[in-house]
Amino acid sequence: MNKKECFIGSISNYKGGTGKTITAVNLSAGLAIQKKKVLIIDIDPQSDTTRALMQDPMKINNCIYQLLDPGEKQPIDLKDCIYSTIHENLDILPNITETSGLEIPLAINFPESNWNLRNKIYDYVKDKYDYALIDCPPTLSIFVSNALYASDFVMIPVDAGSGNSLEGVKGVLELMQSVRDNGNPNLRFIKILINKIDRRKSAHKANIQEAQNRFGEENIFETTIPTSSVFETIETMRKTSVFSYSPTSKGAQGFRTFTKEFLSFFEPERSGE
């Protein structure tokens, strides 16, 4: 029996505060709970995903820094950069804040450096995992370009309470088209995920309507993630997923539903299960 296809995707919005890392952490955890073999790749030097999911971030030896560093003299084995997480079936390729210092060296090697991540991970990830999710920084930087060149798809989280996050959607779609035109033609946009929604607030309803008008209702996930003090607590703790911290909360239920919708997009034959 042949192994099922592995899908590699970037979670990106160049506007901050859109729930990007919360989406990356909890979707990857949700997929792992559904018995999928998942790798989360933290390409954001802020390293919030690393702190949330690694059992002991202090024990990082090799990580995304060594993989992307154009000055690295010794080839790094990808297996030495991958660690287990707090969830079974979920591994992580972590990051450290020092990676932010690689932006200029990588830019000097542009455009060849766009392919650094893909060249280092693609074959291994495709062989070992069902899904790989890349948590991108809130920029349109060389790190995001690396993520998109390594990806099969892009999904974009937005904050229901912020009209500015819709401008971030436009920026990511434009960068995605550039990547498609310059070497990764199979990269596709899947959908927008609306985060931090409170349907009692008129501004949230207006922003959702604006998103539907600008990008098409068919390009927005049916599932929305509610605003919740649970997420605020997790962000403050900077450690754990909603499934570990509060598995019966509305936030956890939102991500359970979203995980099923996400899986139905890639595995439609299983959508009725």
Side-chain angles (χ1 to χ4, degrees):
M1 182 176 179
N2 294 330
K3 182 183 182 299
K4 288 192 299 183
E5 183 178 2
C6 169
F7 300 98
I8 302 174
S10 289
I11 300 174
S12 180
N13 190 323
Y14 82 81
K15 296 291 186 180
T18 62
K20 178 182 56 60
T21 294
I22 283 176
T23 300
V25 168
N26 293 296
L27 175 58
S28 64
L31 291 169
I33 291 168
Q34 290 291 320
K35 309 299 184 184
K36 305 301 177 184
K37 185 65 175 173
V38 185
L39 177 68
I40 183 87
I41 299 170
D42 188 357
I43 204 169
D44 184 352
Q46 294 182 64
S47 309
D48 290 335
T49 292
T50 297
R51 283 188 288 270
L53 291 174
M54 275 201 71
Q55 294 172 338
D56 187 354
M58 298 302 293
K59 291 186 176 179
I60 295 174
N61 294 315
N62 296 311
C63 64
I64 204 83
Y65 181 98
Q66 284 77 18
L67 284 182
L68 296 184
D69 183 5
E72 185 69 40
K73 302 301 182 183
Q74 296 294 329
I76 300 296
D77 191 331
L78 178 60
K79 290 183 289 185
D80 293 333
C81 301
I82 293 175
Y83 300 79
S84 59
T85 72
I86 60 174
H87 287 285
E88 186 179 1
N89 299 319
L90 175 58
D91 294 336
I92 187 168
L93 173 51
N95 208 342
I96 55 176
T97 56
E98 289 81 358
T99 301
S100 61
L102 294 180
E103 192 155 9
I104 291 176
L106 288 168
I108 290 172
N109 292 324
F110 182 88
E112 291 78 8
S113 57
N114 281 327
W115 297 92
N116 281 16
L117 185 65
R118 183 185 181 100
N119 291 341
K120 299 291 178 59
I121 71 160
Y122 195 81
D123 291 340
Y124 182 88
V125 169
K126 286 284 185 175
D127 183 58
K128 299 295 184 183
Y129 295 94
D130 298 312
Y131 293 91
L133 300 177
I134 307 174
D135 183 19
C136 296
T139 61
L140 293 179
S141 63
I142 191 71
F143 298 122
V144 179
S145 291
N146 263 260
L148 297 188
Y149 275 92
S151 293
D152 305 312
F153 69 89
V154 181
M155 58 177 289
I156 306 175
V158 300
D159 177 357
S162 171
N164 288 334
S165 66
L166 296 181
E167 294 305 314
V169 174
K170 181 174 179 287
V172 173
L173 291 177
E174 289 173 351
L175 179 58
M176 187 193 79
Q177 187 58 53
S178 175
V179 171
R180 285 171 54 89
D181 293 341
N182 289 283
N184 187 9
N186 296 322
L187 180 65
R188 58 176 173 158
F189 164 63
I190 51 170
K191 293 189 178 186
I192 294 166
L193 173 67
I194 297 176
N195 276 312
K196 305 181 181 182
I197 185 170
D198 185 344
R199 294 188 182 276
R200 298 170 299 178
K201 295 184 176 180
S202 58
H204 289 216
K205 294 178 182 178
N207 285 330
I208 292 171
Q209 186 63 56
E210 176 67 12
Q212 292 171 344
N213 292 342
R214 290 181 63 177
F215 303 108
E217 191 170 353
E218 71 280 4
N219 291 317
I220 300 172
F221 285 106
E222 291 184 13
T223 306
T224 57
I225 306 300
T227 186
S228 172
S229 60
V230 170
F231 294 128
E232 294 175 5
T233 302
I234 289 173
E235 283 188 298
T236 300
M237 293 169 58
R238 290 191 170 187
K239 190 171 181 65
T240 199
S241 71
V242 69
F243 297 109
S244 293
Y245 179 74
S246 186
T248 62
S249 65
K250 289 183 179 180
Q253 183 54 50
F255 271 105
R256 284 191 189 94
T257 303
F258 175 56
T259 299
K260 291 178 182 178
E261 183 179 357
F262 178 90
L263 282 172
S264 73
F265 189 89
F266 292 98
E267 302 176 23
E269 73 279 3
R270 297 176 58 87
S271 61
E273 294 184 7

